[in-house]
Amino acid sequence: MNPKLLAPSILAGDHAALGIEVAKLQANGLQWVHVDIMDGHFVPNLTFGPHMVKCLKKHAPDLFYDTHLMLSEPWKYADAFAEAGSDLISVHIEPDYDPLPLLRHIRKLGKKNGIVFNPKTPAEAIKPYLEEVDMVLAMTVEPGFGGQSFDTSVVSKMEKITLWRKEAGLSFRLEVDGGVNTETAKLCAAAGVDTFVAGSAYFNAADRAAFEQSITHR
Ligand code: DX5
Ligand code: ZN
């Protein structure tokens, strides 16, 4: 079993002060930060590029930069994010391409890789890649915006992936992203999730440390 981790999504932070936000995460003892990269094409929103990762690392060099690429052409940008200092680069299965060469390329760059699937995508779509990944990311909202409600239909897909992980003796992380709060995290933990992205719930929590504990120590 992988130890449980919370990866706050800085999408929900103050974008004019993200250096301060990541420095706070590091000072508060968090290990991971989730960075959402959106191209206004694969998803209907825009965020930031590799230079942001490079700059954030100066403010919080000890964090693990979990970089979620929501891009129509992820293969064009993996090198730039690796160069900028991303520690894990995850790519969606939905664009029309073969993700395997890209997943292997990310590892050759010395980074961890991840495969991501949207709520409407069947879990079976990612099954052929399980031996090639460090993480599977299950989206529990349509990607693009923070603050949406958790789609409970994805829980049974998490259970399938957890079963496949066990059957194959693999140890990739299983991450959830979208509408994660203390309640929905319970469902995910029961389905085998070990890595929890939280944007709004973390940044709006009255007590962020207590929120983190409630996710990672249950
Ligand atoms: C959605 C992003 C998420 C988002 C989660 O497209 O991938 O990481 O920030 O935000 P919350 O936790 O607010 O649903
Ligand atoms: Zn994300």
Side-chain angles (χ1 to χ4, degrees):
M1 267 290 272
N2 294 315
K4 287 198 180 76
L5 278 171
L6 173 67
S9 167
I10 51 163
L11 186 64
D14 176 353
H15 285 214
L18 288 180
I20 296 168
E21 301 281 26
V22 291
K24 270 195 227 166
L25 297 180
Q26 183 174 302
N28 289 336
L30 284 147
Q31 292 165 272
W32 280 37
V33 60
H34 185 80
V35 186
D36 285 311
I37 310 297
M38 305 188 187
D39 66 354
H41 189 263
F42 180 69
V43 289
N45 197 6
L46 293 162
T47 55
F48 20 71
H51 192 60
M52 177 63 88
V53 173
K54 189 172 180 185
C55 292
L56 292 177
K57 284 201 79 142
K58 290 184 189 149
H59 292 265
D62 300 340
L63 291 178
F64 181 92
Y65 286 77
D66 168 25
T67 311
H68 175 192
L69 302 189
M70 285 161 272
L71 307 175
S72 292
E73 301 181 315
W75 57 90
K76 288 191 177 171
Y77 300 94
D79 289 68
F81 282 99
E83 173 79 10
S86 291
D87 296 288
L88 184 151
I89 299 171
S90 61
V91 295
H92 275 257
I93 185 122
E94 290 84 7
D96 187 16
Y97 75 125
D98 176 5
L100 193 54
L102 179 56
L103 292 167
R104 289 182 174 163
H105 180 67
I106 293 168
R107 280 186 170 170
K108 282 204 189 103
L109 293 169
K111 306 297 178 177
K112 306 255 188 231
N113 68 16
I115 189 84
V116 193
F117 68 100
N118 280 339
K120 292 194 185 75
T121 301
E124 285 71 16
I126 55 123
K127 199 175 178 195
Y129 307 104
L130 297 182
E131 294 199 353
E132 303 273 351
V133 296
D134 300 301
M135 191 171 82
V136 170
L137 168 49
M139 291 305 301
T140 40
V141 297
E142 284 302 322
F145 299 92
Q148 304 182 74
S149 308
F150 181 91
D151 181 342
T152 50
S153 73
V154 185
V155 175
S156 60
K157 299 183 194 185
M158 296 168 181
E159 287 166 354
K160 272 189 196 175
I161 294 163
T162 299
L163 183 66
W164 295 335
R165 178 170 62 180
K166 194 174 170 207
E167 283 173 354
L170 296 169
S171 58
F172 58 82
R173 283 192 165 271
L174 178 56
E175 182 177 61
V176 60
D177 184 4
V180 173
N181 56 39
T182 43
E183 291 311 307
T184 57
K186 277 184 209 159
L187 302 174
C188 300
V193 169
D194 46 50
T195 311
F196 301 79
V197 175
S200 340
Y202 179 78
F203 283 93
N204 297 333
D207 183 342
R208 291 181 181 179
F211 178 82
E212 198 243 334
Q213 290 287 311
S214 77
I215 301 282
T216 56
H217 290 77
R218 65 169 83 252

